[in-house]
Amino acid sequence: MFVDLLPSRDSNNESDLDEVEIGYSFHGVIAMDAEMCAMNDDAIINLIMSHIESADGYKYYCLKVANPKKKHAVAFYFGCAQDQCIQSQVMNRQRLTRRMETFPCSGRITGEIDRRNHQVMVDIQHDVGHRGYAVEDTSVPTIVREYIRNNARRLDATAFFEQVKAKFPDDASDQEKCKTLYVVDSLSLRPFSHVDTNGCEENGLASQRLVNKMPGEYPAIKSILPLKRSFESMNASICINCSPAIVPALTNIISSSPYSKLLMQRQYTELTPDVCAIINKDWDFFPQIKFATVQIFAGAILYNTTNGQAFMLNTVEAYGRTKSIDPHREPFGKLKGSTKPTSLPPPGKIPYPDIWPVSLHTSEGSKLVIGTLVSNILVTSNMRLDAVSKPSIGAVTLNFKLDKKDALAPKTFLDHDNLQVALSMATDPAVTRTSDTNIVYQLRQIHSKFDADNAYSLCRASGPFTKSHVCQPFTIFTLADYDRGTSSLSSLFRHMATIVLRLGVRATLAKATVESSLGQGNLDTQNAFTAIIALYGESNEIPILGK
């Protein structure tokens, strides 16, 4: 069923080096016997790849498995693990060694499992031949493992490591490396790097708590992001070559986050003074800024450099700062002996000009708000990135608080793609919403003043990981879409919102629409419908706005 493609390239003999740069290509059709037909797709792919790897001496990682245009077929794509463009080193770093010898080979394997015709088509391309990756035994002897397990907590990491090396001397470098890794795992250590003024890098190990804390206190220290992974741990949905660069200050969060594979698919940039200036433009003269603002912060990451906590803003809502701009503004004024707490940026020097993330304590609970001079952005859905935790849904944020001692600590990182869309919005006065998808879901969660035209501003946005409506918090306008149960009042508010968004000040609510809802819901709901019908008098319609 399989053929010998090329002699294995794992030899170290000098005589083999004359032909090491000879590339090759191969096209073949494999007939599927009854045994192969009974296998699932993954088993067939693994079988084929194991034969190819044993024949040509190279290691491959899975780029993608997908259904092509033929619905009865499954396509798979693999790349050479030693391809230079895949195993490229981190930019602007001086490393002493490379972790794997690489070549400009452009090695690729494409295949298609055609079950209808009982065959598998395989194409292999290697532009440049090269020596294969040598697989070596790096297992730690049992006696060493037992010693580390029984004594790991008695000494500090450095002293214990030296003790292990002294007790079990071994000239084999691979064994030494494996002992080191086992000690690191036993003590739960994480790598970090220090880059000096000349760009030279030095590495060290510390506990996860210190690794999270140090980059915030010492800018020259960074957590080491594990861009390299073993062949066995390659995931079909992640391509190292396609992973964007990560902001250095975020590397410690990305590397240790339970969602690291997902986060590495996005690119983040720190909030800049220029963007701060755009966010603080007057809504009266630049009405498009309200939409650009929520687009900027949707999917952003707040990182508390004091305690290493970080979380993502899944959904945000923007409210105007003054009564003439927004009837649902954040209140301000006097209290007995003090003033009401607000999210207004303080007059002193702060990390981001006139941008102030803060936890406001209200009668409902602690709300996370990003304050500006012209607006406040309420976080209505978020999730912790530094630990496994349930997402926080609603206006009250329970899993992340910014106390007074943390006031200057947060760093804000914006999703690069969202930022580019927002900057385009900020220059277009004709913009009236953030997206043409799920428009009603862009309405804010409000509780009153439904007769005000500003109540129907589409100032709500969600990040790239929660853009589906099933991942967004319900509002009075969208609760009607809840699958388990019905809400006649929410259906009425959704109907009103749809009419206002279409007709504006000409929007009216028909009496027959309200009467059709009578008898639905509990007693309070029916009383509410009865009160609404009483507003009509002899009319069959009433305007929604201004009443």
Side-chain angles (χ1 to χ4, degrees), residues 42-77:
D42 290 339
I44 293 175
I45 293 172
N46 290 337
L47 176 64
I48 293 173
M49 292 307 302
S50 65
H51 278 77
I52 293 176
E53 290 178 348
S54 64
D56 71 359
Y58 299 137
K59 284 291 185 182
Y60 297 88
Y61 72 95
C62 184
L63 287 168
K64 186 178 181 182
V65 176
N67 291 321
K69 293 181 179 179
K70 300 177 182 179
K71 294 184 178 179
H72 57 276
V74 171
F76 55 91
Y77 308 87

Side-chain angles (χ1 to χ4, degrees), residues 432-505:
T432 58
R433 52 183 173 268
T434 61
S435 171
D436 291 335
T437 303
N438 294 331
I439 293 177
V440 175
Y441 280 78
Q442 298 171 40
L443 291 168
R444 303 168 298 181
Q445 169 62 347
I446 56 177
H447 302 89
S448 61
K449 301 181 178 66
F450 295 100
D451 59 331
D453 56 350
N454 289 334
Y456 300 91
S457 295
L458 300 170
C459 297
R460 190 179 197 235
S462 296
F465 299 138
T466 54
K467 60 184 179 181
S468 169
H469 73 281
V470 300
C471 299
Q472 300 170 16
F474 284 114
T475 67
I476 187 66
F477 303 106
T478 62
L479 189 58
D481 294 335
Y482 185 49
D483 279 349
R484 298 182 181 180
T486 58
S487 174
S488 52
L489 270 177
S490 180
S491 298
L492 178 63
F493 278 106
R494 183 187 180 91
H495 175 73
M496 290 168 52
T498 302
I499 297 174
V500 171
L501 293 174
R502 288 175 176 171
L503 304 178
V505 295

Side-chain angles (χ1 to χ4, degrees), residues 342-526:
T342 71
S343 61
L344 279 167
K349 186 176 180 180
I350 55 178
Y352 306 108
D354 298 324
I355 304 291
W356 184 245
V358 64
S359 293
L360 290 182
H361 300 284
T362 68
S363 58
E364 297 176 355
S366 180
K367 296 184 178 182
L368 185 64
V369 179
I370 301 174
T372 77
L373 294 178
V374 301
S375 64
N376 64 285
I377 298 92
L378 175 66
V379 179
T380 58
S381 172
N382 68 83
M383 64 184 234
R384 284 275 295 274
L385 298 180
D386 57 293
V388 177
S389 177
K390 291 183 178 180
S392 179
I393 307 297
V396 176
T397 298
L398 302 175
N399 58 355
F400 188 94
K401 293 183 180 180
L402 294 176
D403 299 323
K404 290 182 179 180
K405 61 183 178 65
D406 300 325
L408 300 176
K411 286 185 175 291
T412 303
F413 300 95
L414 309 177
D415 184 278
H416 181 268
D417 293 342
N418 270 16
L419 177 60
Q420 297 308 309
V421 173
L423 294 178
S424 177
M425 288 181 180
T427 61
D428 185 3
V431 171
T432 58
R433 52 183 173 268
T434 61
S435 171
D436 291 335
T437 303
N438 294 331
I439 293 177
V440 175
Y441 280 78
Q442 298 171 40
L443 291 168
R444 303 168 298 181
Q445 169 62 347
I446 56 177
H447 302 89
S448 61
K449 301 181 178 66
F450 295 100
D451 59 331
D453 56 350
N454 289 334
Y456 300 91
S457 295
L458 300 170
C459 297
R460 190 179 197 235
S462 296
F465 299 138
T466 54
K467 60 184 179 181
S468 169
H469 73 281
V470 300
C471 299
Q472 300 170 16
F474 284 114
T475 67
I476 187 66
F477 303 106
T478 62
L479 189 58
D481 294 335
Y482 185 49
D483 279 349
R484 298 182 181 180
T486 58
S487 174
S488 52
L489 270 177
S490 180
S491 298
L492 178 63
F493 278 106
R494 183 187 180 91
H495 175 73
M496 290 168 52
T498 302
I499 297 174
V500 171
L501 293 174
R502 288 175 176 171
L503 304 178
V505 295
R506 296 181 290 109
T508 60
L509 181 63
K511 185 177 183 179
T513 301
V514 184
E515 289 177 336
S516 65
S517 300
L518 278 174
Q520 300 181 20
N522 55 29
L523 182 60
D524 291 338
T525 301
Q526 294 181 39

Side-chain angles (χ1 to χ4, degrees), residues 86-283:
I86 300 302
Q87 292 290 343
S88 59
Q89 298 296 299
V90 180
M91 298 296 293
N92 300 324
R93 285 188 179 179
Q94 297 181 12
R95 290 191 180 276
L96 297 178
T97 60
R98 299 176 71 92
R99 297 184 182 177
M100 181 185 292
E101 189 178 8
T102 60
F103 305 88
C105 63
S106 299
R108 295 290 185 272
I109 295 177
T110 60
E112 183 178 290
I113 303 174
D114 188 348
R115 289 190 177 274
R116 178 177 295 176
N117 297 311
H118 305 293
Q119 63 183 19
V120 181
M121 289 171 285
V122 178
D123 286 284
I124 308 174
Q125 180 69 39
H126 246 90
D127 294 345
V128 177
H130 55 82
R131 183 179 291 106
Y133 176 64
V135 180
E136 302 171 350
D137 181 14
T138 58
S139 59
V140 178
T142 303
I143 186 173
V144 179
R145 295 170 64 91
E146 289 296 328
Y147 181 81
I148 294 174
R149 184 180 296 113
N150 296 331
N151 299 277
R153 299 296 177 183
R154 296 182 182 179
L155 299 172
D156 64 82
T158 302
F160 183 59
F161 178 59
E162 295 299 330
Q163 187 181 93
V164 171
K165 288 204 303 182
K167 186 173 180 62
F168 301 99
D170 194 332
D171 294 332
S173 59
D174 291 325
Q175 290 256 342
E176 201 67 32
K177 293 176 184 177
C178 211
K179 290 178 188 176
T180 303
L181 290 175
Y182 195 76
V183 171
V184 168
D185 288 340
S186 299
L187 297 176
S188 300
L189 302 179
R190 297 292 181 268
F192 67 90
S193 66
H194 173 269
V195 181
D196 62 23
T197 55
N198 296 321
C200 295
E201 177 184 318
E202 296 178 347
N203 304 121
L205 295 170
S207 67
Q208 183 66 64
R209 182 182 63 82
L210 288 177
V211 169
N212 283 350
K213 181 180 179 181
M214 285 189 297
E217 297 182 359
Y218 309 100
I221 294 179
K222 303 288 185 287
S223 171
I224 296 178
L225 182 65
L227 293 176
K228 308 282 184 183
R229 291 171 289 160
S230 65
F231 175 78
E232 291 76 11
S233 66
M234 291 295 180
N235 188 292
S237 63
I238 303 295
C239 172
I240 297 178
N241 193 36
C242 302
S243 297
I246 305 296
V247 176
L250 266 185
T251 55
N252 57 322
I253 292 299
I254 299 295
S255 62
S256 59
S257 172
Y259 317 106
S260 59
K261 289 183 179 179
L262 194 62
L263 293 171
M264 286 178 65
Q265 298 179 56
R266 308 295 300 181
Q267 186 173 354
Y268 297 93
T269 181
E270 189 169 3
L271 180 61
T272 64
D274 289 341
V275 176
C276 294
I278 292 174
I279 295 171
N280 278 283
K281 286 187 175 182
D282 194 313
W283 285 16

